[in-house]
Amino acid sequence: MSAPTVGHHAPPATEIARRRWQELSETEREELLGKLQEQVVVPRPLQFFVGELSVDNDGAVEMIADCRRAPVAEWTDESLILVSTLWLWQISKVAVSELNQADLSFSLLQEFFLTKRRGYRKILAEPDPGLAPGETLFDLAASLVALRKRIERDRIRCMRINGATWERREWFLPKADIRADELPEGLQQHLEARTGHRLPPGDGHVERFTAFTEQVMDSGTNPAEILVALAEYALTLPELGADYSIITCARGNKLETPYDIAMSDVMSYTAVRQDFDPASRGVRLKHDQIMNAISQRMRYNVVCRVRNYSPDPAQRIQAQAFQHPDIAVMEDAHHNGHRANGVRFVTRAPLVFDVDLPGGTRRLKGLADFRINRATHDDDGQFTPKELAIVIRISWWMKAVTEATWRRGLWFDEKYCVKLDSYEDKDGGKLARRKAILGEGR
């Protein structure tokens, strides 16, 4: 498919891009290049092809550094295309890894953004007039933001991730599919068995889970038990068919300075299906080892993400990006820990919190997520949007529990914030200590 053109008399895209960079003041250009350099360090590994060059994250950092040392007129065409791609990433707020493995050019970028806008307008049931006279690639990218905000009024922005190629693809899940206010009897029974309480009546899941959390706290039980119960409940749902279910959430301390959160400030619990046989799935770790290793990694991920809030640029450079709900395949392709644990097909729902802090309510991302896993390479084991909707539903219940807990000024139980001993021999010599920490049968 050939890329549309602006018009016979329009300047070439290369000229337009170079002019846009030159129109910035020296200070503005330096700040922008520095920000792009910061943002490209840590995202999922990138691999672009620009002319004859193959560029990964480190190569992109070096090319940006070269641009910072030279006037725009002296930038190579390859450097201009790369830094412009990253600038368009910032302007449009797309996932730059949607372009992973691409042979970058201005014509490809124009077709990419035109196709994305066409898709947005289709979702909104609006006609697509194509590229307007005089509309540049930069204008096109900027136009996506307002369209996406309108889409997100009643849809959730999600990603499909290929762990083998690091490619991501954006898609939207209707909020109506979540049905978070549907609280089945099986859920009631599961929560009562774990906490001794049933969900009280009320209007909607937020009201009911908030009141439930208050009851549990008033009885002297730490509300971390509710999150653990919900993670274990997910394993009972045949429609999910999960082998593992993991809830990870900040305890509730250091919320005013989230970038100070350490691994000991994060609870994480990994529930493993009781009849799951690791050896039959080619997983070398045992149940307790899987639980321990995954939870430690999840705590580490939170610590990496909260660095996005740091006032220190050196910390922000090391931060992982905030997540969108996603469906992922081949998660063990480049990760030894995932191979050891059988993390292969995954679907995830990050939790976003509205937290009351001095100075007002603050929205915090990166502090928690809920995910389930299937330890199989069978293509039939890939998760579907319908299954992700269930995971998001449970995560919304967890969000209500967490916000009610933090409003009370309570923290989640420390016993879920520590690395637990795993088996060291075939006889399971450390099982007694695990039970002493988590409680019998947990």
Side-chain angles (χ1 to χ4, degrees):
M1 181 184 298
S2 60
T5 59
V6 177
H8 294 298
H9 303 293
T14 300
E15 180 183 335
I16 293 172
R18 200 176 295 273
R19 185 188 305 158
R20 285 293 295 258
W21 283 101
Q22 289 172 327
E23 287 172 352
L24 297 174
S25 69
E26 188 172 337
T27 299
E28 290 172 332
R29 188 163 54 251
E30 174 61 21
E31 288 179 354
L32 176 56
L33 288 170
K35 185 173 184 178
L36 297 179
Q37 199 170 34
E38 176 181 312
Q39 291 179 333
V40 81
V41 171
V42 172
R44 295 278 189 176
L46 302 175
Q47 186 69 49
F48 300 133
F49 301 94
V50 191
E52 300 298 320
L53 302 177
S54 175
V55 183
D56 59 9
N57 296 65
D58 292 341
V61 169
E62 292 176 8
M63 291 179 75
I64 296 170
D66 289 341
C67 290
R68 296 176 74 175
R69 290 189 290 263
V72 177
E74 295 180 9
W75 293 359
T76 66
D77 287 349
E78 290 81 3
S79 293
L80 180 64
I81 291 170
L82 179 73
V83 296
S84 296
T85 298
L86 299 178
W87 190 6
L88 292 164
W89 166 31
Q90 183 192 72
I91 291 170
S92 65
K93 309 301 182 186
V94 302
V96 71
S97 49
E98 287 197 63
L99 290 163
N100 236 2
Q101 312 297 318
D103 191 352
L104 296 180
S105 67
F106 285 117
S107 60
L108 178 141
L109 291 170
Q110 181 168 284
E111 182 65 18
F112 172 80
F113 286 113
L114 272 172
T115 300
K116 186 166 286 291
R117 187 166 70 180
R118 191 179 303 122
Y120 284 3
R121 285 178 168 154
K122 182 177 181 181
I123 292 173
L124 294 167
E126 296 178 356
D128 176 56
L131 203 62
E135 186 177 27
T136 70
L137 177 57
F138 293 85
D139 301 327
L140 173 59
S143 72
L144 297 178
V145 178
L147 290 171
R148 187 166 53 240
K149 284 183 179 178
R150 290 169 56 201
I151 291 172
E152 290 181 310
R153 292 172 186 169
D154 57 9
R155 289 174 172 82
I156 299 170
R157 187 185 187 194
C158 303
M159 295 288 167
R160 295 185 186 274
I161 300 176
N162 187 321
T165 63
W166 304 112
E167 292 172 90
R168 297 187 176 208
R169 292 292 179 267
E170 178 186 71
W171 59 285
F172 295 91
L173 179 69
K175 291 180 181 178
D177 290 354
I178 306 304
R179 306 196 309 277
D181 292 339
E182 295 182 9
L183 306 176
E185 178 61 25
L187 169 67
Q188 297 266 24
Q189 294 173 355
H190 191 89
L191 291 175
E192 185 174 19
R194 179 84 187 198
T195 68
H197 298 270
R198 286 180 64 85
L199 283 164
D203 295 326
H205 74 281
V206 174
E207 179 179 327
R208 297 184 69 185
F209 266 100
T210 298
F212 176 71
T213 305
E214 293 285 347
Q215 288 181 1
V216 170
M217 290 189 289
D218 289 343
S219 72
T221 298
N222 189 279
E225 299 304 324
I226 306 175
L227 300 186
V228 169
L230 289 171
E232 293 179 338
Y233 170 71
L235 290 184
T236 71
L237 299 178
E239 58 265 45
L240 288 184
D243 294 320
Y244 316 152
S245 171
I246 306 105
I247 173 58
T248 304
C249 186
R251 287 190 72 194
N253 58 329
K254 303 180 182 178
L255 297 180
E256 293 182 54
T257 56
Y259 46 85
D260 288 329
I261 288 174
M263 289 180 68
S264 58
D265 302 316
V266 183
M267 74 158 285
S268 187
Y269 181 80
T270 299
V272 180
R273 182 165 52 81
Q274 287 189 350
D275 60 351
F276 175 71
D277 178 15
S280 69
R281 299 288 184 87
V283 179
R284 71 170 185 263
L285 300 185
K286 299 178 181 178
H287 278 219
D288 274 27
Q289 293 171 314
I290 292 169
M291 295 169 68
N292 199 40
I294 292 178
S295 290
Q296 278 296 95
R297 178 68 192 190
M298 295 302 98
R299 295 185 187 103
Y300 172 77
N301 285 348
V302 169
V303 170
C304 288
R305 289 193 180 99
V306 295
R307 289 173 180 166
N308 283 291
Y309 293 110
S310 175
D312 181 1
Q315 284 199 27
R316 292 199 304 270
I317 285 176
Q318 301 173 51
Q320 292 181 13
F322 294 135
Q323 295 172 290
H324 296 283
D326 65 53
I327 293 172
V329 301
M330 301 297 291
E331 282 286 271
D332 59 342
H334 299 290
H335 197 302
N336 289 333
H338 286 183
R339 281 195 288 274
N341 290 303
V343 177
R344 293 162 184 165
F345 294 141
V346 182
T347 187
R348 293 168 275 225
L351 281 67
V352 179
F353 300 115
D354 293 310
V355 182
D356 294 329
L357 298 172
T361 301
R362 186 177 184 186
R363 178 155 289 188
L364 293 176
K365 302 178 181 181
L367 273 64
D369 76 53
F370 174 58
R371 61 183 67 194
I372 62 174
N373 175 81
R374 291 174 182 155
T376 177
H377 284 124
D378 186 343
D379 283 342
D380 291 338
Q382 296 185 32
F383 287 105
T384 67
K386 183 177 180 180
E387 291 157 348
L388 175 56
I390 299 172
V391 170
I392 294 175
R393 178 189 310 160
I394 297 173
S395 79
W396 287 7
W397 300 341
M398 291 172 165
K399 170 182 165 69
V401 172
T402 300
E403 290 180 346
T405 301
W406 291 349
R407 278 195 299 271
R408 179 74 76 88
L410 292 183
W411 299 351
F412 292 122
D413 200 325
E414 184 180 13
K415 70 184 181 182
Y416 294 114
C417 304
V418 296
K419 182 178 181 180
L420 303 174
D421 286 337
S422 58
Y423 294 125
E424 288 189 351
D425 57 45
K426 65 181 180 179
D427 299 320
K430 294 194 175 181
L431 179 62
R433 182 171 185 272
R434 171 175 287 278
K435 287 186 176 179
I437 294 173
L438 286 184
E440 185 71 26
R442 297 181 185 174

